[in-house]
């Protein structure tokens, strides 16, 4: 199946940002059933569905032996039987989909992914500040005056080779349209940023990675961040998770998600293995980050309880919320210990924690057997 042309035609009709989703959403039909996929340049498989999606479609995926060790950066995926895919009047037969099992709380709002291998030989223009991802026939003339770097052809995901100072060194910057965040730095890069910004305020971020599980990270705001010759302004920054580090290889410098991509224009010439980058001067829009200073993540071994992880000096800490407190109520959301927490609830809680400064959130938490009710006013934590 040639998925490249299949996806290209669709993205021309469905620019990134259509509807409420922050992703480039792709409506797809598999065996006559309508589905929603996203373009994920951080995925190294051609096409992926969740096990829940496969079950809904009546597919029987074959999974590898769970005892077989995984290569770092890889996740354990099954393979579906052949299916028929329809998109914009085009039909593709005998397609085998990669199938990934996710815990209920991590199930996304979409049904699957189209990964970088499906589209890597085409020319793409990423203008996320304008909510557009465009297929172009050639590299726009204006882009030829931007910073030019090589695309790392040996990776299954979209990686850019950035020259670094000293000795002709190169660093790999991954571009991940499946990540809504800003910049994730390699451990040494994060350590350097913290050392040079010791008083920078931090909030906390929590997310699920199929390759690494639940990840909790401190998150700051970089007013100016140099990644080799590329300088980004006003981007969130945190330490990269083990999966991203493994995927980038020994020269991994960091990863940029959708929030960071809104701070630059990017053209990828897949056929020529080149990319052109230009930081945007018109910085508009608010930055999405956790303004409570606490995340509520599934308790280890128990997907029916969300427990707190709290950053010091934040509204959450000042309201008396402590590490390990169980979330019982947040606004209109009441959590039931007797039922697994669905992904939609996790996403809604994340949205509430990223509400604008001045928003008042009503919470009920449990510490041991004691319930505590609090009303917390969110504020701009990441302000120097």
């Amino acid at each position: 199946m040639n998925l490249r042309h299949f996806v290209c035609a669709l993205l021309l009709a469905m620019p990134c940002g259509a509807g409420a989703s922050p992703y480039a959403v792709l409506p797809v039909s598999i065996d006559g059933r309508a589905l929603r996929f996203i373009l994920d340049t951080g995925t190294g498989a051609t096409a992926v569905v969740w096990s829940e999606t496969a079950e809904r479609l009546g597919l029987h995926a074959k999974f590898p032996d769970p005892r077989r060790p995984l290569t770092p950066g890889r996740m354990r995926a099954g393979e579906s039987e052949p299916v028929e895919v329809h998109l914009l009047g085009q039909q593709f037969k005998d397609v085998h989909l990669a199938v990934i099992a996710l815990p209920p709380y991590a199930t996304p709002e979409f049904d699957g992914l189209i990964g970088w291998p499906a589209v890597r030989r085409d020319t793409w223009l990423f203008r996320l500040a304008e909510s557009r991802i465009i297929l172009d026939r050639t590299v726009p003339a204006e882009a030829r005056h931007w910073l030019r770097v090589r695309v790392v052809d040996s990776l299954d995901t979209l990686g850019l080779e950035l020259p670094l100072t000293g000795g002709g060194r190169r660093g790999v910057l991954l571009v991940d349209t499946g990540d809504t965040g800003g910049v994730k730095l390699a451990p040494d890069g994060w350590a350097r940023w913290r050392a040079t910004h010791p008083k920078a305020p931090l909030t906390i971020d929590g997310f699920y990675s199929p390759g690494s599980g639940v990840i909790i990270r401190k998150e700051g705001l970089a007013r100016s961040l140099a990644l080799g010759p590329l300088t980004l302004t006003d981007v969130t920054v945190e330490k990269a998770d083990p999966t991203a580090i493994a995927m980038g290889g020994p020269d991994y410098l960091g990863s940029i998600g959708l929030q960071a991509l809104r701070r630059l224009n990017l053209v990828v010439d897949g056929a020529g293995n080149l990319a052109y980058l230009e930081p945007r001067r018109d910085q508009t829009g608010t930055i999405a980050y956790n303004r409570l200073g606490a995340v509520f993540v599934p308790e280890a071994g128990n997907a029916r309880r969300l427990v707190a992880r709290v950053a010091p000096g934040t509204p959450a800490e000042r309201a008396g919320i402590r590490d390990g407190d169980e979330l019982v109520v947040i606004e209109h959301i009441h959590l039931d210990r007797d039922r697994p927490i669905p992904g939609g609830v996790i996403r809604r809680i994340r949205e509430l924690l990223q509400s604008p400064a001045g928003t008042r959130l009503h919470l009920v938490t449990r510490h041991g057997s004691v319930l505590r009710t609090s009303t917390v006013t969110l504020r701009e934590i990441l302000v120097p």
Side-chain angles (χ1 to χ4, degrees):
M1 170 186 177
N2 186 346
L3 272 176
R4 293 194 295 118
H5 301 295
F6 158 86
V7 175
C8 295
L10 180 62
L11 285 183
L12 286 171
M14 289 290 296
C16 178
S21 175
Y23 304 101
V25 179
L26 317 175
V28 176
S29 173
I30 295 178
D31 286 345
R33 300 282 296 274
L35 300 171
R36 296 171 76 243
F37 278 48
I38 70 163
L39 174 65
D40 185 357
T41 58
T43 290
T46 299
V48 178
V49 295
W50 321 126
S51 55
E52 181 182 88
T53 305
E55 182 177 345
R56 199 164 69 244
L57 293 172
L59 302 179
H60 302 285
K62 293 182 179 179
F63 284 87
D65 187 341
R67 296 168 297 181
R68 184 184 304 170
L70 286 175
T71 303
R74 299 288 182 178
M75 60 195 76
R76 203 174 301 280
E79 183 179 77
S80 76
E81 64 263 41
V83 298
E84 183 176 281
V85 179
H86 285 259
L87 179 63
L88 294 182
Q90 299 184 67
Q91 175 179 317
F92 304 87
K93 295 185 176 181
D94 298 328
V95 181
H96 291 269
L97 305 171
V99 181
I100 295 177
L102 298 176
Y105 60 80
T107 303
E109 63 195 270
F110 42 86
D111 300 302
L113 312 169
I114 296 296
W116 180 240
V119 299
R120 67 183 307 151
R121 295 306 174 198
D122 293 293
T123 299
W124 295 95
L125 174 58
F126 294 84
R127 291 187 180 273
L128 273 296
E130 303 165 11
S131 296
R132 292 192 296 161
I133 297 178
I134 305 167
L135 172 67
D136 214 332
R137 294 182 182 275
T138 60
V139 175
E142 61 177 329
R144 297 190 182 277
H145 301 286
W146 303 349
L147 170 66
R148 186 179 74 173
V149 299
R150 295 202 62 81
V151 173
V152 185
D153 194 45
S154 59
L155 296 179
D156 293 331
T157 58
L158 176 53
L160 310 180
E161 186 181 271
L162 301 184
L164 305 177
T165 57
R169 296 182 302 122
R170 296 288 187 270
V172 173
L173 180 67
L174 300 183
V175 179
D176 188 353
T177 59
D179 179 1
T180 60
V183 180
K184 292 180 170 62
L185 293 173
D188 58 341
W190 171 251
R192 284 195 300 271
W193 188 82
R194 290 293 295 135
T196 54
H197 301 82
K199 296 183 179 180
L202 299 175
T203 185
I204 195 166
D205 185 28
F207 57 94
Y208 178 84
S209 165
S212 303
V214 176
I215 304 292
I216 307 296
R217 286 285 184 266
K218 296 176 181 178
E219 183 177 57
L221 177 66
R223 291 300 186 187
S224 179
L225 181 67
L227 299 165
L230 175 67
T231 298
L232 298 177
T233 56
D234 291 334
V235 290
T236 57
V237 58
E238 62 186 60
K239 182 180 176 181
D241 62 271
T243 298
I245 296 168
M247 291 175 69
D251 297 324
Y252 177 73
L253 181 66
S255 307
I256 55 175
L258 293 174
Q259 188 262 327
L261 280 167
R262 292 187 180 93
R263 301 309 194 200
L264 75 156
N265 294 323
L266 168 65
V267 174
V268 178
D269 174 9
N273 278 335
L274 293 172
Y276 303 82
L277 305 98
E278 180 193 46
R280 294 183 66 100
R281 297 183 178 88
D282 54 335
Q283 305 288 342
T284 59
T286 60
I287 299 173
Y289 70 88
N290 187 320
R291 292 178 172 84
L292 176 67
V295 291
F296 298 96
V297 297
E299 186 180 42
N302 186 350
R304 300 170 188 262
R305 286 163 40 100
L306 295 181
V307 295
R309 293 289 297 274
V310 183
T314 60
E317 185 189 54
R318 292 171 183 173
I321 301 172
R322 298 292 180 262
D323 283 354
D325 285 359
E326 179 186 355
L327 181 64
V328 179
V329 177
I330 178 168
E331 290 298 294
H332 59 282
I333 301 172
H334 295 252
L335 301 178
D336 185 349
R337 278 185 170 184
D338 296 328
R339 305 177 67 179
I341 300 167
V345 169
I346 298 291
R347 291 193 296 275
R348 180 55 185 148
I349 292 174
R350 183 179 179 87
E351 291 171 359
L352 288 171
L353 302 185
Q354 294 180 349
S355 298
T359 301
R360 293 165 62 86
L361 294 182
H362 169 73
L363 299 98
V364 178
T365 54
R366 179 184 286 112
H367 186 85
S369 59
V370 179
L371 291 178
R372 178 187 178 91
T373 300
S374 55
T375 299
V376 187
T377 301
L378 305 188
R379 66 173 177 84
E380 295 291 1
I381 299 172
L382 302 185
V383 176

